Amino acid sequence: MKLSQFKFNLPESLVANNPSDERDEARLMVLHKDSGKIEHKIFKDILGYFDDKDVMILNNTKVFPARLYGNKEKTGATIEVFLLRELNKELRLWDVLVDPARKIRVGNKLYFGDDDLLVAEVVDNTTSRGRTIRFLFDGTDEEFRKNIEILGETPLPKYIKRKATAQDKERYQTIFAKHEGAVAAPTAGLHFSRELMKRLELKGINFAEVTLHVGLGTFRSVEVEDLTKHKMDSEQFIIEQKDADIVNTAIEEKRKICAVGTTSMRAIESAVSSNRTLKAANDWTSKFIFPPYDFSIANSMITNFHTPESTLLMMVSAFGGYDYVRNAYEVALKEKYRFYSYGDAMLII
């Protein structure tokens, strides 16, 4: 398929800059993938589509406050450092993006916080905006993390044209987040409230957890018309045996298995055994899913509404059927569904 097949006009007014008042009260479009039939619901209505012993697969990655603002030595110029991932815990080496990049060179020292709570040195250039930095910090790892927590800001996507708030710290994180490592939230999971989780549990729905640490590469724009030539960035994922067992029992019993979000789907599709069951894994994936694609594990999916020409839209189109998803997006635009991270949800069943 071609990149241009995933183009559509998205009005600025449909981009969600704030979350819905309650997590589980965002709108929900239900797309039946065998018929293309569409229903309009509220997210908590999802309860009506799953039964005893069905399984939902959740990504339990935790977003850390990855955006730091500081000053450059000598000039005092304000700089932004976006922490991507820790390369070496002992040496406190981090892979980061910097802005303005042209002013931040190898050897520069960067200062963060009013009383220089953290100081870092630039040790390498990796890409035009990418750098490797080393934090010059003598305390314990716990103290270091605490300082990142104090100085760092919730890494809201750049399209949200406002400063991150205390509300974002809570709402740009799923209620089942456990393992820190993501620089962007697995947004389909943001719609689950504690009350809804409890009601699903009482109905007999089982939860399997996977961890995929979402990197910025997930949102990198596709710049080639021929999709077979696009390369995804690698992201670390972990699937434990007990969670693989929950999913495999559901496969055996022909239950509904729902991947909550594109990141959960990427993780499970990166760990398929030769007999099309899920296997435990601790690995990195650069899997790029676009139509046509034969899915092995999940037979339903919860996802948000994605940007034109994004790899996320391509995966959803592969799962729901290109024509059905294309039509669903046209309906979503007409019905004024909200798009992106804080937007509304779609259940493909």
Side-chain angles (χ1 to χ4, degrees):
M1 293 203 86
K2 305 290 181 200
L3 176 63
S4 49
Q5 289 175 270
F6 296 91
K7 205 179 212 143
F8 64 91
N9 290 321
L10 179 63
E12 194 72 26
S13 60
L14 296 187
V15 173
N17 280 303
N18 294 285
S20 56
D21 291 341
E22 300 294 335
R23 282 183 186 268
D24 58 14
E25 287 183 0
R27 293 167 75 193
L28 175 72
M29 177 186 284
V30 183
L31 173 61
H32 296 264
K33 62 178 180 176
D34 292 340
S35 63
K37 180 187 158 200
I38 286 171
E39 297 175 283
H40 302 287
K41 302 282 185 177
I42 300 296
F43 192 80
K44 57 174 127 183
D45 296 334
I46 213 147
L47 200 64
Y49 293 90
F50 294 92
D51 296 308
D52 187 31
K53 298 202 172 91
D54 288 342
V55 171
M56 288 187 170
I57 302 171
L58 311 171
N59 182 4
N60 64 17
T61 188
K62 189 174 186 180
V63 179
F64 65 94
R67 187 170 278 127
L68 299 176
Y69 292 99
N71 302 95
K72 200 179 138 188
E73 66 174 332
K74 294 178 186 161
T75 66
T78 302
I79 46 107
E80 180 188 314
V81 172
F82 194 99
L83 304 173
L84 291 175
R85 62 192 173 102
E86 192 172 40
L87 300 172
N88 185 305
K89 190 176 274 207
E90 282 67 43
L91 298 175
R92 306 208 194 283
L93 282 177
W94 282 75
D95 186 16
V96 305
L97 294 177
V98 294
D99 197 24
R102 67 186 184 284
K103 293 185 176 174
I104 302 174
R105 301 190 175 94
V106 172
N108 285 161
K109 282 207 170 67
L110 311 173
Y111 296 87
F112 304 95
D114 295 338
D115 49 359
D116 301 337
L117 198 58
L118 286 177
V119 180
E121 183 182 11
V122 181
V123 296
D124 197 12
N125 290 333
T126 50
T127 62
S128 60
R129 284 186 59 216
R131 303 287 184 272
T132 302
I133 67 171
R134 180 163 58 92
F135 284 99
L136 311 172
F137 186 80
D138 292 332
T140 64
D141 191 55
E142 198 181 334
E143 290 166 334
F144 174 69
R145 300 274 162 186
K146 198 172 170 187
N147 287 353
I148 294 284
E149 197 68 38
I150 291 165
L151 296 169
E153 205 177 79
T154 301
L156 291 182
K158 281 285 193 189
Y159 70 81
I160 293 181
K161 307 277 193 286
R162 62 174 177 79
K163 292 286 276 178
T165 65
Q167 186 202 28
D168 294 310
K169 196 167 184 173
E170 185 220 337
R171 292 296 301 272
Y172 195 65
Q173 192 83 270
T174 65
I175 61 162
F176 41 79
K178 282 181 191 159
H179 304 297
E180 197 170 83
V183 299
T187 55
L190 296 179
H191 300 292
F192 286 83
S193 64
R194 283 187 168 77
E195 188 196 357
L196 178 58
M197 292 283 283
K198 195 76 204 151
R199 290 173 71 197
L200 287 163
E201 240 172 74
L202 290 171
K203 199 172 177 184
I205 281 87
N206 292 320
F207 297 103
E209 295 187 6
V210 300
T211 306
L212 183 136
H213 293 313
V214 190
L216 284 185
T218 296
F219 309 102
R220 181 163 295 150
S221 54
V222 180
E223 287 165 356
V224 286
E225 178 66 3
D226 179 356
L227 298 185
T228 60
K229 293 187 165 58
H230 177 68
K231 297 280 181 287
M232 296 284 281
D233 285 8
S234 278
E235 292 170 321
Q236 187 186 15
F237 75 101
I238 299 156
I239 300 171
E240 292 185 14
Q241 189 61 55
K242 64 180 172 55
D243 296 293
D245 291 343
I246 291 168
V247 172
N248 292 334
T249 300
I251 291 173
E252 210 176 300
E253 295 176 357
K254 297 188 166 38
R255 308 285 178 191
K256 282 198 193 86
I257 299 166
C258 181
V260 177
T262 56
T263 59
S264 296
M265 187 70 89
R266 266 186 95 205
I268 60 178
E269 284 297 316
S270 301
V272 180
S273 69
S274 54
N275 61 348
R276 289 170 78 92
T277 57
L278 186 62
K279 58 185 182 185
N282 186 339
D283 208 347
W284 291 75
T285 180
S286 53
K287 195 169 194 65
F288 176 31
I289 298 173
F290 59 94
Y293 182 86
D294 184 18
F295 290 83
S296 297
I297 307 293
N299 47 32
S300 58
M301 178 184 196
I302 297 167
T303 186
N304 277 23
F305 288 92
H306 303 293
T307 50
E309 299 183 315
S310 64
T311 58
L312 309 173
L313 173 58
M314 290 163 193
M315 181 197 286
V316 171
S317 300
F319 189 77
Y322 175 81
D323 291 331
Y324 286 158
V325 170
R326 180 96 198 169
N327 176 57
Y329 268 58
E330 282 170 19
V331 172
L333 292 167
K334 201 172 110 205
E335 297 290 330
K336 298 194 166 21
Y337 274 77
R338 292 163 15 114
F339 279 66
Y340 297 5
S341 301
Y342 274 150
D344 295 316
M346 177 191 271
L347 167 63
I348 306 174
I349 204 157

